[in-house]
Amino acid sequence: MALSPDGQTIAYNLRKPGGEDDKRGKSWWEIHTIKTDGSNPRKYVTKPQSGYTISWGTKGEYIYFLGYRKDHDSHTQVYRIPVMGGEAEMVTGHETTVRNYKLSQDGKYLAFTSRDPLSRQEKLDASYGKDWIVYGENYKYTRLYMM
């Protein structure tokens, strides 16, 4: 849940269970807004897309969120969607999954964390089912990035 910069609107997540035709255990995180007085409820991100870890742009013009969209990228990325309506756009496009993010107070920068990618050999090994993790070898660090 996140309060808009002007304090007038709340953006929040609503978890929706999958339907009869969906894979067992599948659910979606929808993004909704509502005025603090309870008026003007709106949906922004709904099934089959999912959005979570929401925050507002500094001027309240966008809602930022983490999401995974097969048609854009194979990893979770930071997206933003205009509050006045329109399609969500990918902001980060990083080579691995974005785990967390934060906008600077002036809105000029975005910091995010992401784990090191697999090496070419690790990807090849995983494709053959060699996906085990050996303690102390080939450790993947979570790093901080800024854009």
Side-chain angles (χ1 to χ4, degrees):
M1 179 171 54
L3 187 63
S4 65
D6 66 5
Q8 300 297 309
T9 307
I10 300 168
Y12 63 95
N13 283 118
L14 183 62
R15 188 170 186 172
K16 299 290 253 182
E20 297 268 333
D21 298 333
D22 295 319
K23 189 169 82 175
R24 183 183 162 137
K26 182 72 174 166
S27 63
W28 287 265
W29 287 100
E30 293 185 345
I31 297 177
H32 296 253
T33 61
I34 193 166
K35 295 290 185 181
T36 53
D37 66 5
S39 66
N40 199 26
R42 294 181 69 183
K43 289 183 183 181
Y44 285 90
V45 176
T46 60
K47 181 181 178 181
Q49 307 303 337
S50 208
Y52 50 93
T53 312
I54 52 179
S55 65
W56 287 86
T58 55
K59 297 176 186 169
E61 72 282 22
Y62 292 101
I63 297 172
Y64 287 78
F65 62 94
L66 289 178
Y68 166 72
R69 296 181 172 209
K70 284 190 257 187
D71 54 332
H72 291 160
D73 199 274
S74 59
H75 302 284
T76 297
Q77 300 293 333
V78 177
Y79 288 83
R80 70 180 187 178
I81 191 165
V83 173
M84 298 309 279
E87 285 297 313
E89 61 183 353
M90 188 167 51
V91 176
T92 49
H94 194 64
E95 66 181 311
T96 61
T97 294
V98 173
R99 307 238 179 231
N100 206 346
Y101 72 96
K102 182 76 173 173
L103 287 168
S104 64
Q105 288 184 341
D106 62 6
K108 292 182 182 178
Y109 302 100
L110 180 111
F112 65 93
T113 59
S114 184
R115 196 169 177 200
D116 289 340
L118 295 175
S119 69
R120 186 178 315 173
Q121 185 62 50
E122 289 168 325
K123 289 177 186 175
L124 182 62
D125 289 346
S127 72
Y128 290 114
K130 299 177 183 179
D131 58 354
W132 50 80
I133 297 171
V134 178
Y135 180 77
E137 291 185 20
N138 301 322
Y139 186 77
K140 300 298 179 203
Y141 292 95
T142 298
R143 301 190 189 274
L144 175 65
Y145 298 87
M146 190 96 141
M147 58 182 292

